[in-house]
Amino acid sequence: MSTSELASLVSRLENVASRLETIQPGSYNSAGGGDEVLSPFVQKYDLIINGPFNDFLQLSDKIGSDVKTIAEMVKKAVAVQKQFLILASKSQPPPQNTLMQLLQPTSEQIQGIQNYREKNRASVFFNHLSAISESIPALGWVAISPTPAPYIKEMIDASQFYTNRVLMDYKEKDKTHVDWVKAWLKTLGDLQMYVKDNHTTGLIWNPKGRDTSGGGSGGPPPPPGPPPPPPLLDLSALTDPAVDNRALLFQEINKGEDITKGLKKVTADQQTHKNPALRENASAKAPLVTGPKPFKAVPVAAPAKTPKLELEGKKWVVEHHKDNHNILISQTQMNQVVYIFNCVNCTIQVQGKINSIILDSCKKTAVVFDAIVASVEFINCQSIQAQALDKVPTISIDKTDGAQIYLGVNALDVEIVSSKSSEMNVMIPKENDYAEYPIPEQYKTKWTGRGIVTEVVEQKG
């Protein structure tokens, strides 16, 4: 080999080496048996996985127990989302129904994480589980347009209550838990910036990619041909009975006076108004004619809705519970509100000082609370009970039938405002028992010459 040929070969090898060095690690996908270059936005998603998310997984493994288990579930959800992003980088935007099918695996992973938290409410790491459960819907950004990045920020804010709890509980005890919170928030923060930079108005698809709605490279099968024509009718064999009947009718009418010759004379013994026996026989033989029975719609019971107990931002939501007397809300703050809706035969205990409580459309439900900053409200309720263990400035009762209000010693200065309600009683502590005082429902109004004066009608007897 000559010197010039050797120099040419070395130059070619150096060019190949420089090209290989420019390819970033992780830019190939080995799934499916062969390597393929990933889209740039998928490679950037890998940077989150290999960066703060990997730190989160290592810290979860160090904490162990339920935290490690839910972190493994999050790892699966992130892997499923990556595969979805790879599919989007190679495919055209699908129709809405196909998109929902493609997102089903991600949705199932998110639901599994939230169910795990609900099944482990007694866990010592419940705040950790809740921090993940409240924020994991951030992976649903792929279905949000035109502002997916702010949606992720909303999920971060939704988990803030629980992440702050973990920070407060372990700030002086174990730095691992503090770093765990920071790693998870860093993961979500980087995901928000990634979406903002790469999918500003929604998930980016490949307009030149394959069609995900065709069901295969060959396309859908052609539609079946039209059905064969019906057999021809033999019209010659058909006659119109209506035409024949009309012809016979006009033929009889044209007879003139002769038309009555075929009638028979009714004698006196055949007339019912002169023969009572005929009336009795006719009424006995005549069938009873009844009209069709009116249609009655069968009431269909509404499907039972899933009970709910969770913190949404600064509002505790308690909905659709039935026959549950063990509902406890203990991790409260002064700026939070408790909203109780459509609960039947339940007991809710609220611990700590909170801003307000609202009961809406509840039946046979009781609520026990400590201190209230603003008010307690009952709206559209039936047979409810409330017990104030500490200070409460105002209790409002609106469109409610049946309300028993038990006041503690520190709540005797409460103001009770009622409207369109009935059967209201206030229970005042007296020695070792309660004394019952009804809230007036009847009023007397008079014109004094200067204005209207309304007085309570006193109940006598």
Side-chain angles (χ1 to χ4, degrees), residues 338-357:
V338 176
Y339 179 70
I340 305 170
F341 175 73
N342 193 30
C343 291
V344 180
N345 194 27
C346 295
T347 302
I348 300 101
Q349 184 175 1
V350 182
Q351 296 180 349
K353 190 173 185 178
I354 63 171
N355 185 273
S356 60
I357 298 176

Side-chain angles (χ1 to χ4, degrees), residues 150-162:
Y151 171 76
I152 298 176
K153 181 61 168 62
E154 291 179 7
M155 297 302 102
I156 297 175
D157 294 341
S159 67
Q160 185 177 7
F161 173 81
Y162 294 104

Side-chain angles (χ1 to χ4, degrees), residues 27-133:
S27 63
Y28 285 85
N29 179 31
S30 59
D35 291 341
E36 56 179 336
V37 179
L38 297 178
S39 169
F41 69 73
V42 178
Q43 296 179 31
K44 293 178 181 178
Y45 189 80
D46 273 337
L47 296 178
I48 301 176
I49 296 177
N50 298 327
F53 184 65
N54 187 53
D55 297 338
F56 165 77
L57 293 178
Q58 292 179 359
L59 292 167
S60 299
D61 186 65
K62 186 176 180 180
I63 295 173
S65 188
D66 293 329
V67 177
K68 180 180 179 180
T69 302
I70 201 169
E72 290 296 327
M73 299 173 72
V74 176
K75 181 180 180 181
K76 292 180 182 178
V78 172
V80 168
Q81 177 150 106
K82 178 184 175 181
Q83 293 302 317
F84 180 78
L85 293 177
I86 294 174
L87 175 66
S89 69
K90 302 177 182 178
S91 308
Q92 300 176 13
Q96 188 66 22
N97 58 341
T98 305
L99 177 61
M100 291 299 101
Q101 295 177 2
L102 296 175
L103 289 174
Q104 188 63 29
T106 301
S107 177
E108 291 174 354
Q109 294 295 328
I110 294 174
Q111 187 64 41
I113 293 171
Q114 294 177 330
N115 290 341
Y116 184 79
R117 172 249 192 153
E118 292 299 325
K119 294 177 182 177
N120 292 274
R121 286 186 166 272
S123 172
V124 293
F125 299 113
F126 176 74
N127 289 328
H128 298 67
L129 304 184
S130 298
I132 301 299
S133 175

Side-chain angles (χ1 to χ4, degrees), residues 8-303:
S8 175
L9 179 60
V10 171
S11 177
R12 291 172 60 188
L13 289 174
E14 288 176 348
N15 291 334
V16 172
S18 63
R19 289 177 60 190
L20 290 175
E21 289 174 353
T22 60
I23 300 178
Q24 298 179 1
S27 63
Y28 285 85
N29 179 31
S30 59
D35 291 341
E36 56 179 336
V37 179
L38 297 178
S39 169
F41 69 73
V42 178
Q43 296 179 31
K44 293 178 181 178
Y45 189 80
D46 273 337
L47 296 178
I48 301 176
I49 296 177
N50 298 327
F53 184 65
N54 187 53
D55 297 338
F56 165 77
L57 293 178
Q58 292 179 359
L59 292 167
S60 299
D61 186 65
K62 186 176 180 180
I63 295 173
S65 188
D66 293 329
V67 177
K68 180 180 179 180
T69 302
I70 201 169
E72 290 296 327
M73 299 173 72
V74 176
K75 181 180 180 181
K76 292 180 182 178
V78 172
V80 168
Q81 177 150 106
K82 178 184 175 181
Q83 293 302 317
F84 180 78
L85 293 177
I86 294 174
L87 175 66
S89 69
K90 302 177 182 178
S91 308
Q92 300 176 13
Q96 188 66 22
N97 58 341
T98 305
L99 177 61
M100 291 299 101
Q101 295 177 2
L102 296 175
L103 289 174
Q104 188 63 29
T106 301
S107 177
E108 291 174 354
Q109 294 295 328
I110 294 174
Q111 187 64 41
I113 293 171
Q114 294 177 330
N115 290 341
Y116 184 79
R117 172 249 192 153
E118 292 299 325
K119 294 177 182 177
N120 292 274
R121 286 186 166 272
S123 172
V124 293
F125 299 113
F126 176 74
N127 289 328
H128 298 67
L129 304 184
S130 298
I132 301 299
S133 175
E134 293 293 331
S135 55
I136 195 62
L139 295 182
W141 69 266
V142 290
I144 304 298
S145 64
T147 54
Y151 171 76
I152 298 176
K153 181 61 168 62
E154 291 179 7
M155 297 302 102
I156 297 175
D157 294 341
S159 67
Q160 185 177 7
F161 173 81
Y162 294 104
T163 54
N164 288 343
R165 282 281 185 177
V166 176
L167 293 175
M168 288 189 297
D169 292 344
Y170 291 92
K171 185 177 181 179
E172 306 295 337
K173 296 180 182 179
D174 191 343
K175 189 174 181 296
T176 302
H177 297 263
V178 177
D179 293 339
W180 179 87
V181 171
K182 293 180 178 179
W184 178 241
L185 293 179
K186 173 66 173 171
T187 300
L188 295 176
D190 287 3
L191 177 63
Q192 181 188 359
M193 295 304 301
Y194 160 80
V195 173
K196 183 179 180 180
D197 294 339
N198 298 275
H199 308 274
T200 307
T201 59
L203 177 63
I204 300 299
W205 296 81
N206 187 350
K208 298 181 180 180
R210 65 190 182 192
D211 184 5
T212 57
S213 62
S217 59
L232 296 176
L233 296 176
D234 185 8
L235 300 178
S236 61
L238 297 178
T239 59
D240 188 351
V243 175
D244 292 344
N245 291 337
R246 286 196 298 269
L248 293 175
L249 176 62
F250 283 111
Q251 183 179 353
E252 291 292 328
I253 293 175
N254 291 333
K255 291 182 179 180
E257 296 181 356
D258 294 336
I259 193 173
T260 59
K261 291 183 178 180
L263 299 178
K264 294 183 179 180
K265 183 176 179 60
V266 179
T267 60
D269 60 336
Q270 295 176 335
Q271 297 176 3
T272 55
H273 65 284
K274 295 183 178 180
N275 192 345
L278 290 178
R279 288 200 299 268
E280 295 176 359
N281 293 336
S283 60
K285 294 180 181 180
L288 179 62
V289 179
T290 59
K293 295 183 179 179
F295 174 77
K296 292 184 179 180
V298 179
V300 179

